[in-house]
Amino acid sequence: MEESWRTQLSSEFQKPYFLQLTDFVRKEYQTTRCFPPGGQIFNAFDQTPFNDVKVVILGQDPYHGDGQAHGLCFSVCDGIAFPPSLRNIFQEIQAETGAPIPTSGNLTRWAKQGVFLLNTCLTVRAHQAFSHSGMGWETFTDAVISKLSAERQGLVFLLWGAPAGRKAKLIDATKHLILQCAHPSPLSAYRGFFGCGHFNEANKYLISQNITPIQW
């Protein structure tokens, strides 16, 4: 994990839940196929140091298909077909900004600009959605969100769907902008994700804070 995050989260690493989680994940990776690859579990942290975060996007579970997950929520490796939610994200960006649909679903370019792409659960068994839920990752990522809220100022939190929306209670709305709407999944995108305006709103807020906006 990138050093600034390691410093910020040092107290979490010694807690019993995290030690149990580490043991569980290590055994899972030794005995079953899991995603993302072990070296990319903390990719979101590695790509976006603590003080570089401008926007936080919350996902739930890593993609559990072959070659998809690489530690950034909603993102897939180069050459992998867009999952439906990611396709809808790109469609909304195009509608808001006029930007063309990209050829790759790899969102590392966002992460390098300060978009922290955090799943609330950081690992998963191959082809078994939510298989690592409830094992401690959620406690850890709640601590991450709380740390960002407490120690930083003027961030944008994009909370899509009910599970992400429940994290709003961890965020100080007097210090940060919280934007909520339906999840970009095809099951819910037409219930408020399409037309949400979040990408333009995020940039307007960043500009108001004298922060360079994101090239979505």
Side-chain angles (χ1 to χ4, degrees):
M1 182 185 288
E2 189 273 334
E3 190 59 36
S4 66
W5 280 109
R6 188 177 294 278
T7 300
Q8 290 289 337
L9 300 170
S10 59
S11 63
E12 293 300 308
F13 300 140
Q14 304 307 317
K15 292 181 179 178
Y17 88 87
F18 194 84
L19 299 175
Q20 293 170 5
L21 170 64
T22 301
D23 187 53
F24 166 77
V25 170
R26 185 179 296 115
K27 289 177 180 176
E28 283 285 286
Y29 272 73
Q30 289 171 346
T31 58
T32 66
R33 289 187 69 216
C34 296
F35 299 125
Q40 296 180 326
I41 292 172
F42 295 105
N43 194 26
F45 301 82
D46 294 337
Q47 298 294 338
T48 314
F50 185 80
N51 287 319
D52 292 350
V53 175
K54 301 175 183 178
V55 178
V56 180
I57 298 180
L58 286 186
Q60 290 178 257
D61 209 29
Y63 295 123
H64 53 79
D66 294 338
Q68 291 181 303
H70 64 127
L72 306 178
C73 74
F74 293 107
S75 179
V76 290
C77 297
D78 291 321
I80 300 295
F82 298 168
S85 291
L86 182 58
R87 187 182 310 117
N88 288 342
I89 289 169
F90 287 150
Q91 287 181 8
E92 175 60 22
I93 290 170
Q94 184 179 51
E96 289 186 33
T97 70
I101 303 292
T103 56
S104 173
N106 188 330
L107 302 181
T108 301
R109 62 188 180 84
W110 290 5
K112 294 291 190 185
Q113 296 179 74
V115 182
F116 186 47
L117 296 163
L118 179 67
N119 277 315
T120 53
C121 185
L122 298 188
T123 58
V124 68
R125 280 189 182 185
H127 314 300
Q128 295 182 43
F130 303 110
S131 49
H132 287 181
S133 294
M135 304 305 297
W137 278 130
E138 295 87 349
T139 302
F140 175 70
T141 53
D142 279 2
V144 171
I145 296 165
S146 296
K147 178 67 74 169
L148 282 166
S149 176
E151 301 296 331
R152 294 291 312 281
Q153 180 87 28
L155 303 182
V156 182
F157 289 83
L158 302 183
L159 309 181
W160 301 331
R166 287 193 285 272
K167 304 299 182 181
K169 67 181 183 292
L170 303 172
I171 304 161
D172 184 346
T174 68
K175 295 171 58 182
H176 307 286
L177 177 64
I178 303 171
L179 298 175
Q180 299 186 57
C181 69
H183 194 275
S185 161
L187 298 175
S188 56
Y190 288 95
R191 297 203 298 268
F193 179 77
F194 287 135
C196 67
H198 281 188
F199 301 97
N200 280 342
E201 281 194 58
N203 275 347
K204 287 177 184 176
Y205 180 79
L206 293 176
I207 291 167
S208 77
Q209 302 292 311
N210 296 313
I211 298 170
T212 304
I214 306 300
Q215 293 293 319
W216 299 109

